[in-house]
Structures are given as C-alpha cells and as structure tokens.
Amino acid sequence: MKKIAVGSLLLCVALPMQAAPFSVQPQPGEWQVSTQTFVEGNNVGPQLLLIKQQAAAFLKPAQLEKLNKYDPSQFNECLTPTQASVLADPQKSMDFLVKALGQCQLQLDSQTHNAMTFSGYCDASKHGIEGKVNGQLNYQSQTQVTGFIEGVGTLPPPVQLLLLGRVQPQVHLRNNFTADWQQTSCSAR
C-alpha cells in the first residue's frame, strides 16, 4: 500500500497538472475591447490621445486616415467558434495569450471556475511590456471578460517626457481590459 501511495505521488509530480475547463465559455462573434494603460500608476489615456492629435499635424493625408482609424483604447476582435471553444480550456487560453502578446513565455499559476492568473517573461511584447510579467483573466459571463497584464517596460524617451515629465530606463506598465460581446456576426474590416 505504501508503494502505491508513493508511486501515485510521484506520478502526480512528474506529470503536469491538467487544468479543469472554465465553467464559462465566451460567445463566438464580434467583441469590443476597451483598454486602459497605466504608466507608473497614472492613466495615460488622455496623454496618448494628445500625442495622437499632435502627430496628426505632421502626417500626409493617407497616414492621417490610418491614424484616425487607430484607437488602441477601443477596438473590435472577431472570435470564431473554434477560438471560443479553445478559450474554455485554461491551458489553451495561455497559448492564445502568448500569440496575442508576442514574444512571451507564460505559465498558468492558478485558476477558479471562471478566472485564471498567469506569470512569465516577455522579451518584447506587442504591448510594450518586457521582463517579468503577471496578469489575470476573469470571465464575468459568456459576454464579458476582464483582466490585466502588468510588468516593466520601456518607452521611447520623447514619449516618457510627454507622459511622465522625465526619462527612466524602465517604467511600470499595466494594461487593463474589458471585452464585451457585441453580436454573432463579425463586421468586415
């Protein structure tokens, strides 16, 4: 009996723990994602809007049209039925996050029936965070997801001067998001 108990314990340690599926699965279709970016604890959304407006003065008409369509604080994403079913699995959700963030190695730290926390390291993510990161994802319902990712990142010195009034080698960045389901069909882009 003792050998069976020790063998079972070793098997549990040797095999990665399988995460249970979330009890909430997001709806497929069009989602509207709203974000807030914090640098050193300050919401920099208003300053980013000002930078966008100032940059517009130096752009050609075609570039200005692209800039006017770009709003990092609010955008739409299309979630296919396959993606929605994949996101019900916490470990596969991690793979989805890695693809979305780019150049990150993430691990699932903990989970509940509708949320998970993760941590890892990003070399140069699409969101400007590099180094040690952590985050959380919460399925409020099938039609709303909230979360965040935070860590240390770098910003170009001119942007730091505009946002912080000083230049630092690294800054603490946090991106909060809320995603709300809009409709079953996705808009053409």
Side-chain angles (χ1 to χ4, degrees), residues 8-189:
S8 296
L9 178 64
L10 288 175
L11 188 59
C12 288
V13 172
L15 296 174
M17 187 191 294
Q18 292 293 321
F22 291 121
S23 63
V24 177
Q25 179 179 325
Q27 289 284 338
E30 187 168 355
W31 288 73
Q32 185 175 66
V33 181
S34 301
T35 66
Q36 286 183 301
T37 301
F38 294 85
V39 177
E40 295 296 320
N42 298 314
N43 182 352
V44 296
Q47 290 98 326
L48 291 173
L49 182 59
L50 180 62
I51 291 170
K52 181 179 168 181
Q53 291 169 344
Q54 291 171 344
F58 303 101
L59 298 176
K60 296 177 181 175
Q63 294 170 320
L64 183 58
E65 185 179 338
K66 282 184 183 179
L67 180 66
N68 286 334
K69 290 179 182 177
Y70 175 69
D71 184 357
S73 67
Q74 190 163 325
F75 55 93
N76 289 351
E77 282 292 329
C78 184
L79 191 60
T80 68
T82 301
Q83 290 170 325
S85 66
V86 163
L87 291 176
D89 179 323
Q91 193 57 54
K92 290 180 181 174
S93 289
M94 293 304 304
D95 297 338
F96 196 83
L97 279 172
V98 167
K99 286 178 186 172
L101 293 172
Q103 297 186 31
C104 295
Q105 289 104 31
L106 302 175
Q107 68 182 28
L108 179 64
D109 292 332
S110 67
Q111 80 163 95
T112 65
H113 68 94
N114 67 337
M116 67 179 187
T117 61
F118 59 90
S119 62
Y121 190 88
C122 292
D123 290 321
S125 79
K126 295 175 185 175
H127 300 280
I129 298 174
E130 55 190 41
K132 188 177 176 183
V133 298
N134 65 73
Q136 187 170 3
L137 183 70
N138 301 298
Y139 288 99
Q140 306 295 328
S141 69
Q142 291 182 315
T143 58
Q144 186 179 55
V145 182
T146 62
F148 71 87
I149 184 168
E150 66 182 345
V152 175
T154 57
L155 295 171
V159 174
Q160 284 192 44
L161 283 172
L162 289 169
L163 297 177
L164 301 172
R166 64 187 182 283
V167 176
Q168 298 175 197
Q170 295 184 320
V171 293
H172 181 263
L173 297 170
R174 179 178 170 118
N175 291 313
N176 293 347
F177 75 89
T178 300
D180 293 301
W181 184 81
Q182 302 296 303
Q183 58 192 13
T184 304
S185 61
C186 295
S187 303
R189 293 182 186 180

